[in-house]
Structures are given as C-alpha cells and as structure tokens.
Amino acid sequence: MIEAGAKRIAMSDMKCSFCKGTGKDPFGVLSWLSTCCVCNGKGVVDVPSPYKVCPHCAGTGAVKTLTCTACMGKGYVSLPATPVIKCPECRGSGDASSIPSLPCIKCHGRGFILAG
Ligand SMILES: [Zn+2]
Ligand SMILES: [Zn+2]
Ligand SMILES: [Zn+2]
C-alpha cells in the first residue's frame, strides 16, 4: 500500500469499530471467543490521516454481519492527498443503488471519488 516517495502520513490509533474495542469477534462467526479479524484482537486500528467516517457502514465497520468492504471493518476511510468530490453515483452514501448492502461500484463504498 505504501508507494515509493509517498509522504509520510500520520497514523491515528482509533478504537476498532467492528468489535467496539473488545478485540473479540462481534458476531461469533467462528466463536465468540475468537479474535476480531479487523484489529487482530488489539481493539484498536491504525487509520491514516486524514480520514472520514465510512458512509457505507456508518462507522460501525460492519454491514449486516460482514466486515464492511469499503473500510475493511475499521469504520473509517482514509482520504487521499488529492481533492475529492462526493460520489455522484451514490450521493455520498457509499451504497450500491440496487442493493444497499453492497458498496457503490463507482466509489467502492467510500462515498467520494477523486476530483477531476
Ligand atoms: Zn476489532
Ligand atoms: Zn465501512
Ligand atoms: Zn458511490
């Protein structure tokens, strides 16, 4: 993910949205005692700044009982260094128009696309 020459970006330790900081699988898919697949049981996730709350899962990290594919369960999506505009396809909701549980194809569920 890190490109050569990319600016060093600050990482924020955020409480894991998927497990709400418990470090445990919130839905007990394998076992209620298994570790959270998003934070590996740490209860916190690294989110590169700047970031915004993920629109597709509304910051919960989960869509139904699945890890949100837009934010990979973190509940936050990182903004690129370049300007972005609200996605015209989903109007920023991050949801596919026909099936809201799927991420918008145009913005990959992030609710924004690169400007220009
Ligand atoms: Zn977690
Ligand atoms: Zn999400
Ligand atoms: Zn979209």
Side-chain angles (χ1 to χ4, degrees), residues 10-33:
M11 301 288 274
S12 303
D13 265 353
M14 306 297 293
K15 185 162 81 173
C16 176
S17 298
F18 195 62
C19 64
K20 300 183 173 59
T22 64
K24 297 279 187 280
D25 183 347
F27 302 111
V29 173
L30 296 173
S31 157
W32 292 106
L33 297 174

Side-chain angles (χ1 to χ4, degrees), residues 87 89-90 94 104 106-107 111:
C87 175
E89 187 78 21
C90 63
C104 171
K106 190 170 181 69
C107 64

Side-chain angles (χ1 to χ4, degrees), residues 53-63 67-77 109:
V53 172
C54 176
H56 184 48
C57 63
T60 63
V63 176
T67 313
C68 174
T69 50
C71 61
M72 305 313 286
K74 292 180 176 181
Y76 304 92
V77 288

Side-chain angles (χ1 to χ4, degrees), residues 16-24 26 36-45 73:
C16 176
S17 298
F18 195 62
C19 64
K20 300 183 173 59
T22 64
K24 297 279 187 280
C36 172
C37 59
V38 174
C39 62
N40 291 317
K42 290 183 295 188
V44 292
V45 290

